[in-house]
Amino acid sequence: MKRFHREVDGILLLDKALGVSSNAALQQVRVVYGALKAGHAGSLDPLASGLLPVCFGQATKVCGRLLNSGKTYRVLVQLGELTPSGDAETEVIERAPVPPLTAAGVDAVLAQFLGNQQQIPPMHSALKFEGKRLYELARKGESVERPPRDIVIHKIARVSTEEGLAANQLEFDVYCSKGTYIRTLAADVAVKLGTLGYVKGLRRLSVDPFGDLPMVTLETLSGETQEQLTGRLLSVDTAFADLPRVDLDNSAVHSLLLGRTVTGETPAPIGEVRLYGLAGRFLGLGEGQPGGRVKPSRLFVSVPDGTGRSRR
């Protein structure tokens, strides 16, 4: 029997375990569901755990959107030590004393990182330089100039108690924009505290727009029935919950699927909108036009191909 044999549509909020790559976790979940088509939205290193959105079927079209969304992490920083990779993947190469830390002093330093800023990506990253991944160069002991990138730190807050700080470990939560390198942030925070630091532990707590929706582990999934597995899936439109909704009647739906601009049951606002047919069926995304009309921009349902058949 083939491993992948079912049409599955939806989004699974997987709690990825430590020690597993994002792609390996994706393939394991895909086998559990027997899904023909699957992808993940935002890699997590094997040394990181937490939320990995897995998209099946039509939901794979939203992966790019989720990659660009804000994310929240819990970060454990080992102070007083530095590694080449900025995390626990490589050995400590430098040590420095850690000054006495107080909760108030740490909070004041963390507050300095709020808002829009520029960040220089680490050498141990998947960015390319002249066709080669930076981490490939880093492993050879090479370093190249990296242009800074614009990022936003929306929230950052200490989790560590005074006792944790006394043990030279700082734990904090950060809600940040796409493109933020947590290892660089951790090292920069340590420098502001007057010492060195690397990421000893990392867990992704959430990905917009899923908020505090519960995650599920592979271990739990492996023991569930087909009905339970299906019940775990979020509908595709969950990824667009922040967009205005426009409902269409049957006639408008037919025209929309042919690529025509239509009018909804209520006027569409200017900008990107969610489109629904009768019985609340999610159709896809549209672009609101002047006069309250809307044209399709990306559909998530079967579309007539002109021969009487449909294509996904």
Side-chain angles (χ1 to χ4, degrees), residues 17-252:
L18 288 171
V20 181
S21 72
S22 292
N23 187 60
L26 167 67
Q27 296 306 325
Q28 291 167 349
V29 172
R30 189 180 173 197
V31 169
V32 170
Y33 275 86
L36 287 170
K37 187 176 183 181
H40 66 71
S43 293
L44 277 176
D45 292 339
L47 293 177
S49 67
L51 180 54
L52 181 71
V54 176
C55 302
F56 296 110
Q58 290 284 347
T60 57
K61 296 177 181 178
V62 311
C63 284
R65 187 184 189 93
L66 297 177
L67 285 171
N68 293 332
S69 64
K71 299 171 179 66
T72 301
Y73 297 90
R74 177 155 294 178
V75 189
L76 177 63
V77 184
Q78 179 62 55
L79 298 171
E81 298 178 340
L82 182 69
T83 68
S85 61
D87 59 21
E89 183 181 6
T90 52
E91 297 295 322
V92 173
I93 57 170
E94 188 176 350
R95 290 180 169 83
V98 181
L101 301 176
T102 64
V106 169
D107 292 345
V109 166
L110 292 178
Q112 296 177 34
F113 288 87
L114 284 169
N116 299 290
Q117 57 201 272
Q118 289 192 315
Q119 186 186 70
I120 297 177
M123 276 300 300
H124 282 262
S125 68
L127 295 176
K128 286 188 175 181
F129 176 78
E130 296 182 349
K132 294 185 178 180
R133 300 287 185 184
L134 288 182
Y135 62 75
E136 295 175 348
L137 300 176
R139 288 169 181 168
K140 296 177 182 178
E142 300 178 29
S143 181
V144 298
E145 186 175 350
R146 288 96 64 200
R149 302 171 60 163
D150 294 326
I151 65 165
V152 184
I153 304 297
H154 300 287
K155 296 179 183 177
I156 186 167
R158 172 182 52 84
V159 176
S160 291
T161 62
E162 296 276 8
E163 289 76 12
L165 297 176
N168 292 341
Q169 290 191 339
L170 168 62
E171 192 169 33
F172 62 86
D173 289 348
V174 58
Y175 172 39
C176 55
S177 68
K178 74 162 188 172
T180 302
Y181 284 94
I182 302 300
R183 287 168 293 161
T184 298
L185 175 63
D188 290 346
V189 168
V191 169
K192 287 283 188 180
L193 291 172
T195 186
L196 302 172
Y198 71 89
V199 174
K200 188 174 184 179
L202 182 64
R203 179 168 175 78
R204 187 152 67 197
L205 302 178
S206 68
V207 173
D208 287 345
F210 303 119
D212 295 327
L213 291 175
M215 299 178 254
V216 61
T217 64
L218 177 65
E219 182 180 13
T220 297
L221 292 172
S222 299
E224 293 191 330
T225 65
Q226 200 69 65
E227 183 179 5
Q228 289 173 318
L229 290 172
T230 300
R232 294 278 186 187
L233 299 179
L234 301 175
S235 59
V236 179
D237 59 331
T238 308
F240 309 106
D242 57 323
L243 298 179
R245 171 174 176 150
V246 174
D247 290 281
L248 307 173
D249 60 24
N250 274 345
S251 176

